[in-house]
Structure formats: C-alpha cells, structure tokens
Amino acid sequence: ILDRAILSFRKLGYKKKQEGEQMRFETEAEFLNRMNGLIRLFCKLLVSGGPPFDANMSIAWRWIADILNMDPR
C-alpha cells in the first residue's frame, strides 16, 4: 500500500525533498506554491507576447482548456 501512495504522489508531480538524513515528499502547501509559481510564469509569458505566444493565442487557449477539462484528483 505504501508503494501505491508513493506512486500516486509521483504521478501528481510532488517532488522529493531531503531533510537531514530523511527523504520526504513536499507538503501540499509547498506543492501548491510551486504550481502557483509555474502558472504565474506561464501567464507572464502569455501577457508579454513572447514566443511561443507571439504568433497567436491558440496555444494559450489549448493549454487553459486542457487544464480546465482535467478530472479532479
């Protein structure tokens, strides 16, 4: 059962962290902060109009549609 939990954390994108001599997965708050930062970076790139968003907005719309249509976990 522990192996399943570890696999599910990895599938969701949680990172392993070293604390002293122990390894642990990041907490939910740490994970959400990291995801928040990635989304903010994506949005800043989108607003700046740099590549790959300089040609059209289809990539951005496809990305947001994919995110919003994901099944809840």
Side-chain angles (χ1 to χ4, degrees), residues 4-72:
R4 282 188 188 165
I6 290 172
L7 282 176
S8 65
F9 272 108
R10 285 186 181 158
K11 276 186 174 180
L12 291 173
Y14 282 76
K15 298 236 180 194
K16 278 186 158 182
K17 297 186 117 190
Q18 179 102 24
E19 275 192 355
E21 301 215 1
Q22 288 187 327
M23 291 293 288
R24 68 168 179 87
F25 281 102
E26 62 190 346
T27 64
E28 185 176 4
E30 291 169 330
F31 173 77
L32 292 175
N33 279 335
R34 190 166 52 85
M35 292 299 111
N36 184 345
L38 291 173
I39 291 171
R40 289 174 138 208
L41 174 63
F42 178 83
C43 290
K44 286 185 186 227
L45 290 171
L46 179 66
V47 170
S48 72
F53 307 114
D54 50 355
N56 60 39
M57 296 293 284
S58 65
I59 295 171
W61 283 113
R62 190 174 332 127
W63 179 83
I64 196 76
D66 288 345
I67 294 297
L68 294 175
N69 288 320
M70 287 177 67
D71 291 331

